[in-house]
Amino acid sequence: MQKEKKIFLPYAEFADEAQPDTQKYLVYLVYTGLFLLATLLLTANAQAQTVQVLHWWTSTSEEKAIASLSGRMAQENIVWKNAVIPSGSGIGAGIVLKSRMLAGDAPEVAQLNGVIISEWADLGLLQELDPVASSGKWEKSLFPTVWRLIQPKGHPVAVPLGIHRINTLFYNRKIFAKFDLSPPSNWDEFDALAKKLQQAGITPLAQSSEPWQLATLFETLVLSESDANFYRDAFVKKSSQAFVDPRFGRALSRLRSLKKYMPAPLTERTWIATTRMLADGDAAMLVMGDWAKGELNSWGIATDIGFSCAAVPNTANYHLYDIDTLVMLDKGAAARSAQEKIAQIAVSPAVQTEYNQIKGSIPVLRNPELNKMDSCSQTSWKIFSRGGAVQVPSLAHRMATDEISKDAIIAEIMRFFSNDSLSVSDTQKRLAAISRTLPK
Ligand code: BGC
């Protein structure tokens, strides 16, 4: 009797004669504890929701940005599983996503940017996020352009992550200081300093012959040689008139004239390698979306120390934008709560600040923490917040038009760029003819 009693009386463990029972009691306690812990872990695991996210981000900064999101999701018991399809600007990822959809093997979440959001929403493929958007007051907190982009049919169907500025001219500060140069604000200045650099044996402009990277440069030239309305006539409306306009011709000539400042021979280096040229001082300038800034920072090269941002000549008052977004695909009710949680967290102010600092983009919010942004992002945010008149949708990054039109236009630009015997006016005529066949 007494012995039994001791088992349930912990103070008995201090009495010598109670030792054998005390040991049993301790063993009992340890096992009970382990059992409880295992039960807790199993319950937690049962609640943890694994979510596959298809995206194309593989560079150092892109991976860090993803890790900042997935780390936040882990706190909410969401296991973020990357399904990465490496391809700068997401060309391969779009194809894989389509084939996985057709095979009935859609991921829970996918990166899907631009005009295609509206096409997929039309087909009923995207989950509507009305409850998250209304509880998070997205309509008020997001930039109107972002809000419009993500709710093409009156229902929010995408989660905006950040806004990149495409018309960014990066320059290597060490080289600029050495040759006493200031960032060029027009093409005459650009030509003058590019010649000076060339004479000193430095490649003025980092570049790749990858089509999307050339298109990224070219669209900034169209804006530079015209204005936001003309740009939209060409790349959003695909007006054949715009393609034969002298302003479009000037952009083509400018592209050709920049060739001599690029690395020779020009190869299909990745955008990471193109950015590396600027970082290593193998080139003095780079025109690229500001994901390149995120990348430079992730390599330990600080903004306004190793490099700075300027605008592509004559585009300082514009924001040629590219907005990164995630969409949620229908995987049944069980996935839905995790998908909604991801949507809610991704747009929350703290996550927006942290994620965009790493990615190089700016928050999609009207009231972000401006003091936590570097000079490039502050300028980008200030210009974007001036509104629709100065916001210009990127062709190369899917903001301006559908995939078929984008690819058809870029193919012509590539043809022109790689063959110097093709004339500007013939290329313009071909583009005008092609534009008549494109979806409007
Ligand atoms: C995306 C960026 C990405 C870049 C390079 C762009 O289209 O919007 O987020 O970093 O491509 O892959």
Side-chain angles (χ1 to χ4, degrees), residues 56-57 62 88-89 113 164 212 271 291 322 324 359 397:
W56 66 82
W57 287 339
E62 291 172 339
S89 97
N113 286 2
H164 281 297
W212 77 262
W271 72 266
W291 50 86
D322 164 26
D324 283 318
K359 188 68 177 65
H397 298 277

Side-chain angles (χ1 to χ4, degrees), residues 242-264:
F243 289 107
V244 288
D245 191 281
R247 288 169 281 185
F248 201 91
R250 283 206 301 272
L252 285 169
S253 305
R254 176 74 57 203
L255 179 69
R256 187 163 274 167
S257 80
L258 289 181
K259 217 174 182 176
K260 59 181 175 296
Y261 302 136
M262 298 176 186

Side-chain angles (χ1 to χ4, degrees), residues 13 18 41 55 96 179 196 203 219 223 238 240 260 429:
E13 73 190 54
L41 285 175
H55 61 84
V96 172
F179 294 95
K196 204 167 166 182
T203 303
E219 66 187 27
L223 184 60
K238 290 159 283 181
S240 52
K260 59 181 175 296
K429 280 183 212 135

Side-chain angles (χ1 to χ4, degrees), residues 98-110:
K98 261 186 213 153
S99 52
R100 283 190 59 175
M101 296 291 290
L102 291 173
D105 175 34
E108 281 80 10
V109 183

Side-chain angles (χ1 to χ4, degrees), residues 4 21 104-105 114 125 131 136 162 189-190 192 229 263 319 372 393 430:
E4 264 180 37
D21 280 341
D105 175 34
L125 296 172
E189 285 174 19
F190 184 97
N229 284 336
H319 196 297
K372 293 206 175 149
R430 277 181 63 94

Side-chain angles (χ1 to χ4, degrees), residues 238-397:
K238 290 159 283 181
S239 126
S240 52
Q241 208 39 49
F243 289 107
V244 288
D245 191 281
R247 288 169 281 185
F248 201 91
R250 283 206 301 272
L252 285 169
S253 305
R254 176 74 57 203
L255 179 69
R256 187 163 274 167
S257 80
L258 289 181
K259 217 174 182 176
K260 59 181 175 296
Y261 302 136
M262 298 176 186
L266 193 61
T267 55
E268 275 216 7
R269 52 177 68 81
T270 64
W271 72 266
I272 303 160
T274 315
T275 307
R276 190 46 91 183
M277 292 192 71
L278 181 90
D280 292 349
D282 293 336
M285 294 176 282
L286 164 70
V287 173
M288 183 67 77
D290 48 15
W291 50 86
K293 184 195 76 171
E295 196 62 7
L296 290 161
N297 290 164
S298 79
W299 296 338
I301 304 170
T303 309
D304 293 332
I305 295 181
F307 71 94
S308 281
C309 307
V312 168
N314 305 331
T315 70
N317 293 324
Y318 292 117
H319 196 297
L320 220 170
Y321 67 86
D322 164 26
I323 303 172
D324 283 318
T325 38
L326 297 176
V327 293
M328 309 294 168
L329 303 151
D330 190 6
K331 299 289 279 182
R336 194 163 173 95
S337 68
Q339 291 170 319
E340 289 185 343
K341 198 87 206 158
I342 291 178
Q344 182 211 321
I345 293 171
V347 176
S348 67
V351 172
Q352 279 284 307
T353 299
E354 181 183 290
Y355 162 88
N356 283 295
Q357 266 175 352
I358 304 171
K359 188 68 177 65
S361 37
I362 52 164
V364 292
L365 307 172
R366 290 189 204 186
N367 270 316
E369 297 181 279
L370 260 182
N371 58 345
K372 293 206 175 149
M373 295 181 194
D374 66 8
S375 65
C376 305
S377 290
Q378 286 196 4
T379 305
S380 168
W381 188 86
K382 282 180 191 152
I383 295 174
F384 195 86
S385 63
R386 286 184 197 152
V390 301
Q391 297 166 353
V392 185
S394 165
L395 170 76
H397 298 277

